[in-house]
Amino acid sequence: MHMRHIMAGAALALCLASSLPALAVPPSDTPASTSLSQRHKFDIRVQPLSSALRQLSAQSGVRILFPYDEVASIRSRTVQGWMSTKAALDRLLAGTNLKSSETGVGVIALAVPQNRSAARRSPLALQFAQAGMPGVSNNSLTLAPAPDPIEDLTPIIVTGTRTTNRTVADSLAPIDVLGARDLENSGKQSVRDLLGTLVPSINVSNNGAGASWAVRTLSLRGLGGDQLLVLVNGKRRHNTATLFINGSVQNGQSPPDLDLIPGNAIQRIEVLRDGASAQYGSDAIAGVVNIILKNDTAGGAALTLGSTADNGGWQGRWQVDKGFAIGLDGGYVHLAADGVLQENTIVKSSPIVGQFYPTGDPRNANPNRIQARYGQPQVIGGNISYDAMLPVGNSLELYSFGTYSKRHAAGWLTYRTPAALNNIIGIYPEGYTPRIHVYDEDFQVAAGLRGDAGGGVHLDLSTTYAQDAVKFAQTTSLNPSLGTASPTHFYLGRLRFDEWTSNLDLTKELELGLAAPVSLAVGAEYKKNRFLIGPGDPVSYIDGGYVSPAGDWRAGEVRTGVGSQGVTGFLPEGSGAWSRDNWSAYVNLEGRIVDGVEFGLAGRHEDYSDFGTTNTGKASLRIEMARGLALRGTASTGFRAPTLQQQHYASSSTINVPVNGVNQLLPVQALPVDSAAARALGAAPLRPEKSRNLSAGIVLTPAPNLNFTVDAYQIRIRDRILLSETLSGAVVMDALAAAGIQGIAGGLLFSNAADTRTRGLDIVSTYRAGLGDLGTATISLSANINKTIFTHIDPVPAPIAASGLPLIGRAKIGDLSEGTPRNKLIANILWEGSRLVMNLRATRYGKIVQRASATVYHQADFTACPVQAVSATCFRDYVDETLAPKTIIDLELGYRLAKGVKLSVGANNLLNTYPNKLKPVNRTVGNLYNSYAPYGISGGFYYGRFNLDF
């Protein structure tokens, strides 16, 4: 057995040995303690707190004395499932000023803090909620829930805390909670787009190229998609096997693919906008997204049909979910499935420059230069999920959840003209556009045991296994080096990423003489990752050395482009399987020092098999200055381990490479850091990123239906893992040739090349108004202001410096510092009447700049120069692209035809807004609109949806 595994076991045993005996307390034999710790199946919906307390009493048999005046205006939250009476009561009282105490056998009294006045109470100021009164049935003491479910507007959060009674308003760090109404009324067709629409600090990347083109990533607070940890039911979600390799501000990442989670399976989403590596481990530098699956026995179905206004892209999405009870003790299973059929959009393009047909062909006088097919991909896919629980005895429950997905995405790449060196005119006399096909098969399964282990200790023991397998193919392509013998369909190879994670979490409340018991949590985790690359068919990567024969167009010329055009197949030399494992242990403390002052402390130790150990910590403080006014702040350190994909990914894509001031489509190879070519260029093994996070904020709740939060933050990241600029030139070509890589025009390298600093401000305000007979209105205003700068860039390795090339150049710096909106503002109004529902949202995206990586020749109007030489009318410099601020309007109108039946129509991007057009000199391959726009280039999407609840 490896020494690291022995140490992992020892750490886990130490956690258990040091916590259980020390934390255990002799159980009380009094009936009151027994009744409070006894587990019951609770079903308490959102309603006035007074009636919720009566339901708690009826369902537990405990009598509760409470001040009616203090609870009359408070709405309860949902309390469902098997738990102790004390846990259920804590959830009902979370976020209120009420304190509970035992005043007798089976009797609990609720009271307000001593500094609150108790004068001028009504005759009904003190009331009992009790069960089993002589001559009175439990049913007569309870208030039935409303016929239609009411959403819990102040749910108990489970992200960023180990306690079980914390709400958004009293959280130690900023958290956004997206509930069922947000999911239903957003009008968005995927979880990814939903988050990008409703959370101002999140932006969605809508551009990419090559084998990574089908992956879409999220950016939280201007950081990368793989610096954001994704959880499902509090368990780590695996990353995609695909590496996002070129064409985007999110280059070099392989984050979780949120499109592979059924949207209708989600009960709510919690977004922790704060570094949390000390609590959850790697990847949580920017924050955490925790997706909570439905766990009830309700059901529903939906059908959505829609299209863009100008560019096609018809889309149909069907969804169905239903929960079922298991046994008589509260067990359940909730099943969900969704499917999507989406066509390509073909967006207006620009004329493709250059010679189209062979010299002398009369069609060169007026060729059809509109050939590009940019837009959203074609997608056929489906997702299924389940969430299940089964009680075991009186204090434990078995649980399991999982997802499974299959998806085929296909999209068009860049057009090759008939006369191009990378075309064989005998195969494609009119040129061709390669079409890439990505086949995903993805699953995640988790199982565990949780509940009370005795002595007040709660345990959660779980294991999760996940896999993402991706196959790549290409059609309407060719390998020019094979000449007329080239096939047109290619199998490019496959990727697979496996993750197996096991966790043990223990929590207990300790009496330390403070204002409230302190929650102590300890735990351990073991994680194993495996990454595999399988080679493509030989015809997808070999160099056939084809030379055009005499009498043929381009006679005697060696054809450029080795391997299939668009994306080259994975080479046998770069294929293989790699794995690593790591173990970690953590401790977490949360408590209230005095009334109004709460703290949180966390520490974590991680040990990785490939780069060693790291330690992280976090401290949080919340001070309630007055009722409805609180200050909060956190300081933490974090880390992100380099992914196996970043360490070992090797693939070629055909992208624009500047050659003597002119962009040309040439193949570029991603070089693993341990490959011979990368080492020859000065690459070094990757190290983990390290971060230091600081945040401070204010929480203001001047009225029960109005809240306002402002949080400022600073995130410093050291040794940030970045993908280099495209490296080309004689030195690079020699290194590639020496490693046996032929026909490649350049390389891309990963390195810990830079340090960055991100500063920003999050503002969120929400007001919920009752309008009487007109229904209710929820008005929210939110904003994010964000800026990233580079504080340090490492010296360029000597072999690269010899070519005069930067490793991290102006384009890469621009992507991270200016490639996402400088600010983002969202204004939303959700109005709900008795039958009509309207959701109106305006999102303003701030300025974005796409920096050029190399200089090009252009005239004063940014058109290309007829002759590539600097003159009085022709300049050679960097031509950047600026996306002006734009406001996107979304609207949805719904009508309830009957109870549980709703018909809606809506528009995402109602005004059909497009991003700025590129300058003419940057439209060399037919692209017209700037794809850095977070709202995409396909314009408005208009849809209708039918919802059915059952």
Side-chain angles (χ1 to χ4, degrees):
M1 180 179 290
H2 294 297
M3 180 59 67
R4 296 182 60 258
H5 294 168
I6 296 175
M7 293 178 64
L12 179 57
L14 179 61
C15 286
L16 290 170
S18 62
S19 61
L20 286 174
L23 301 184
V25 295
S28 172
D29 294 328
T30 65
S33 296
T34 301
S35 61
L36 292 181
S37 61
Q38 187 173 354
R39 284 165 55 89
H40 302 275
K41 181 185 177 183
F42 290 99
D43 187 7
I44 303 173
R45 305 301 178 93
V46 176
Q47 57 191 290
L49 181 57
S50 57
S51 59
L53 291 170
R54 295 187 179 100
Q55 283 195 336
L56 177 69
S57 174
Q59 294 173 19
S60 66
V62 173
R63 304 173 71 198
I64 305 173
L65 178 66
F66 63 89
Y68 181 81
D69 286 350
E70 296 296 332
V71 304
S73 61
I74 301 176
R75 288 212 313 170
S76 77
R77 58 181 48 81
T78 299
V79 178
Q80 289 181 300
W82 283 83
M83 66 188 74
S84 68
T85 302
K86 184 180 185 305
L89 181 62
D90 287 345
R91 291 193 175 210
L92 284 181
L93 300 184
T96 73
N97 287 318
L98 295 167
K99 310 291 183 181
S100 66
S101 61
E102 298 179 33
T103 60
V105 177
V107 179
I108 300 173
L110 306 184
V112 296
Q114 294 180 358
N115 60 351
R116 296 277 313 276
S117 172
R120 299 181 62 88
R121 297 192 184 279
S122 69
L124 296 177
L126 295 177
Q127 291 191 2
F128 259 116
Q130 65 184 66
M133 290 177 60
V136 181
S137 69
N138 289 343
N139 291 337
S140 66
L141 291 172
T142 62
L143 178 66
D148 293 321
I150 304 172
E151 184 176 7
D152 188 350
L153 299 177
T154 57
I156 300 294
I157 59 173
V158 296
T159 309
T161 179
R162 305 288 180 179
T163 64
T164 59
N165 61 352
R166 194 172 291 282
T167 66
V168 173
D170 58 15
S171 64
L172 300 176
I175 289 184
D176 301 303
V177 178
L178 309 180
R181 291 192 308 168
D182 300 307
L183 299 174
E184 179 181 336
N185 297 310
S186 70
K188 297 302 179 182
Q189 307 304 307
S190 69
V191 177
R192 166 183 50 86
D193 289 334
L194 170 77
L195 288 167
T197 297
L198 299 184
V199 181
S201 54
I202 288 181
N203 285 293
V204 175
S205 171
N206 278 290
N207 60 338
S212 57
W213 138 97
V215 178
R216 295 292 181 263
T217 65
L218 293 178
S219 168
L220 176 63
R221 289 181 163 179
L223 300 183
D226 53 4
Q227 293 163 328
L228 171 64
L229 176 64
V230 176
L231 307 174
V232 177
N233 283 351
K235 308 302 179 184
R236 178 179 288 267
R237 180 74 175 182
H238 59 288
N239 292 355
T240 177
T242 303
L243 192 73
F244 205 80
I245 198 65
N246 55 55
S248 168
V249 298
Q250 302 294 333
N251 280 351
Q253 301 172 20
S254 51
D257 193 338
L258 294 178
D259 288 348
L260 301 181
I261 300 174
N264 60 320
I266 299 173
Q267 181 183 89
R268 72 180 188 275
I269 302 174
E270 297 178 0
V271 180
L272 173 63
R273 291 178 276 117
D274 193 46
S277 292
Q279 295 161 298
Y280 296 105
S282 178
D283 305 345
I285 287 179
V288 179
V289 170
N290 190 7
I291 297 172
I292 311 299
L293 302 179
K294 291 179 180 177
N295 59 2
D296 55 23
T297 57
L303 176 64
T304 304
L305 296 172
S307 177
T308 66
D310 309 319
N311 306 302
W314 275 98
Q315 183 178 144
R317 182 180 292 268
W318 63 267
Q319 298 177 316
V320 62
D321 72 280
K322 182 68 175 76
F324 304 92
I326 301 177
L328 300 177
D329 296 330
Y332 68 86
V333 59
H334 197 106
L335 307 174
D338 78 351
V340 61
L341 297 172
Q342 173 183 289
E343 286 295 329
N344 289 103
T345 56
I346 304 298
V347 179
K348 183 180 179 182
S349 60
S350 63
I352 295 174
V353 301
Q355 182 178 348
F356 254 61
Y357 296 100
T359 302
D361 192 316
R363 291 176 296 176
N364 276 322
N366 188 27
N368 178 13
R369 295 184 176 274
I370 306 299
Q371 297 285 351
R373 300 182 183 181
Y374 297 110
Q376 75 180 17
Q378 179 189 61
V379 177
I380 302 173
N383 308 311
I384 59 175
S385 71
Y386 75 93
D387 186 23
M389 184 276 289
L390 184 66
V392 179
N394 293 324
S395 61
L396 296 172
E397 58 189 33
L398 291 169
Y399 66 91
S400 181
F401 64 87
T403 63
Y404 175 79
S405 304
K406 289 198 75 171
R407 179 180 64 190
H408 171 208
W412 300 102
L413 301 179
T414 306
Y415 175 75
R416 275 76 168 163
T417 64
L421 269 171
N422 51 18
N423 179 44
I424 302 299
I425 205 165
I427 298 177
Y428 293 115
E430 297 297 328
Y432 65 103
T433 303
R435 186 166 175 83
I436 182 75
H437 299 260
V438 182
Y439 301 88
D440 270 287
E441 186 169 12
D442 182 281
F443 71 86
Q444 178 181 26
V445 177
L449 177 70
R450 63 190 173 206
D452 297 326
V457 177
H458 183 277
L459 73 84
D460 186 347
L461 177 64
S462 66
T463 190
T464 304
Y465 185 75
Q467 182 183 104
D468 183 56
V470 187
K471 294 181 179 179
F472 301 94
Q474 205 161 229
T475 56
T476 61
S477 182
L478 56 78
N479 181 343
S481 71
L482 295 176
T484 55
S486 171
T488 58
H489 293 201
F490 298 88
Y491 170 70
L492 306 179
R494 65 190 181 104
L495 303 173
R496 198 181 84 186
F497 180 73
D498 299 77
E499 184 164 272
W500 176 38
T501 307
S502 297
N503 297 85
L504 174 62
D505 303 295
L506 302 168
T507 60
K508 178 179 171 55
E509 289 190 345
L510 299 176
E511 289 288 354
L512 299 180
L514 302 179
V518 173
S519 174
L520 171 64
V522 295
E525 177 181 275
Y526 175 79
K527 177 159 55 80
K528 188 175 184 64
N529 296 128
R530 186 171 185 265
F531 178 56
L532 179 147
I533 300 178
D537 289 337
V539 290
S540 70
Y541 57 78
I542 62 174
D543 182 359
Y546 178 74
V547 178
S548 298
D552 190 32
W553 164 245
R554 296 190 178 275
E557 293 186 72
V558 178
R559 292 309 182 97
T560 62
V562 173
S564 55
Q565 287 296 288
V567 177
T568 302
F570 291 101
L571 299 171
E573 293 82 359
S575 300
W578 303 268
S579 64
R580 74 168 176 212
D581 61 273
N582 75 287
W583 65 269
S584 62
Y586 77 87
V587 61
N588 190 89
L589 277 172
E590 288 185 55
R592 184 184 305 154
I593 302 174
V594 297
D595 283 342
V597 180
E598 296 181 84
F599 75 95
L601 296 172
R604 191 179 191 95
H605 175 78
E606 298 262 355
D607 187 334
Y608 279 78
S609 60
D610 53 352
F611 62 78
T613 63
T614 185
N615 298 299
T616 54
K618 183 174 183 177
S620 304
L621 186 66
R622 185 182 187 273
I623 303 175
E624 188 168 0
M625 312 292 292
R627 188 174 186 182
L629 174 62
L631 302 177
R632 63 189 178 193
T634 66
S636 66
T637 59
F639 80 103
R640 186 182 74 81
T643 65
L644 291 175
Q645 291 91 318
Q646 290 174 327
Q647 292 173 307
H648 303 289
Y649 187 87
S651 177
S652 295
S653 294
T654 306
I655 61 176
N656 270 319
V657 178
V659 178
N660 296 323
V662 180
N663 285 323
Q664 296 184 23
L665 279 175
L666 296 170
V668 173
Q669 173 85 48
L671 304 174
V673 292
D674 60 352
S675 66
R679 291 196 301 269
L681 294 174
L686 295 179
R687 306 182 303 277
E689 299 175 341
K690 299 291 185 68
S691 70
R692 288 180 292 165
N693 296 49
L694 296 173
S695 70
I698 183 171
V699 181
L700 182 62
T701 311
N705 295 328
L706 175 63
N707 60 71
F708 184 83
T709 65
V710 179
D711 292 276
Y713 57 88
Q714 174 178 282
I715 307 169
R716 289 182 177 271
I717 302 177
R718 187 175 76 249
D719 296 332
R720 192 158 179 175
I721 300 172
L722 300 175
L723 190 63
S724 72
E725 307 284 358
T726 300
L727 305 174
S728 58
V731 173
V732 176
M733 298 299 290
D734 290 344
L736 292 172
I741 301 174
Q742 303 293 332
I744 300 297
L748 301 166
L749 291 176
F750 280 102
S751 66
N752 297 93
D755 302 340
T756 63
R757 187 193 70 200
T758 299
R759 288 176 176 171
L761 192 69
D762 288 331
I763 304 171
V764 179
S765 61
T766 304
Y767 176 65
R768 299 178 177 91
L771 304 177
D773 294 339
L774 295 178
T776 61
T778 303
I779 303 170
S780 63
L781 296 171
S782 55
N784 171 258
I785 303 169
N786 189 84
K787 184 176 183 180
T788 295
I789 65 171
F790 281 70
T791 58
H792 170 77
I793 298 178
D794 288 348
V796 180
I800 298 174
S803 292
L805 297 172
L807 187 66
I808 305 299
R810 68 186 312 273
K812 187 63 57 179
I813 293 172
D815 282 350
L816 270 66
S817 60
E818 300 175 279
T820 54
R822 178 74 172 84
N823 51 67
K824 180 181 174 183
L825 293 85
I826 303 174
N828 198 99
I829 300 174
L830 173 62
W831 172 73
E832 296 176 284
S834 58
R835 287 187 176 271
L836 283 173
V837 179
M838 181 195 74
N839 192 60
L840 176 63
R841 177 175 54 250
T843 305
R844 182 188 184 275
Y845 296 93
K847 185 177 75 170
I848 299 172
V849 177
Q850 178 185 357
R851 290 192 187 177
S853 60
T855 60
V856 294
Y857 292 99
H858 67 90
Q859 301 184 80
D861 60 357
F862 293 104
T863 57
C865 297
V867 178
Q868 307 302 315
V870 175
S871 66
T873 59
C874 185
F875 313 93
R876 183 178 181 178
D877 57 19
Y878 296 100
V879 179
D880 298 336
E881 296 287 348
T882 299
L883 271 160
K886 294 287 180 73
T887 299
I888 304 299
I889 305 296
D890 300 331
L891 175 66
E892 179 172 298
L893 298 172
Y895 184 76
R896 297 188 180 97
L897 301 174
K899 183 180 178 180
V901 182
K902 181 181 175 184
L903 184 65
S904 305
V905 295
N908 295 327
N909 192 351
L910 177 68
L911 304 182
N912 201 26
T913 301
Y914 287 86
N916 295 77
K917 293 181 179 179
L918 297 170
K919 296 182 176 70
V921 73
N922 289 330
R923 303 177 191 173
T924 54
V925 290
N927 45 349
L928 180 61
Y929 296 106
N930 194 318
S931 60
Y932 273 49
Y935 45 89
I937 64 173
S938 295
F941 177 79
Y942 306 87
Y943 63 90
R945 187 177 64 247
F946 178 77
N947 285 88
L948 180 65
D949 296 328
F950 48 80

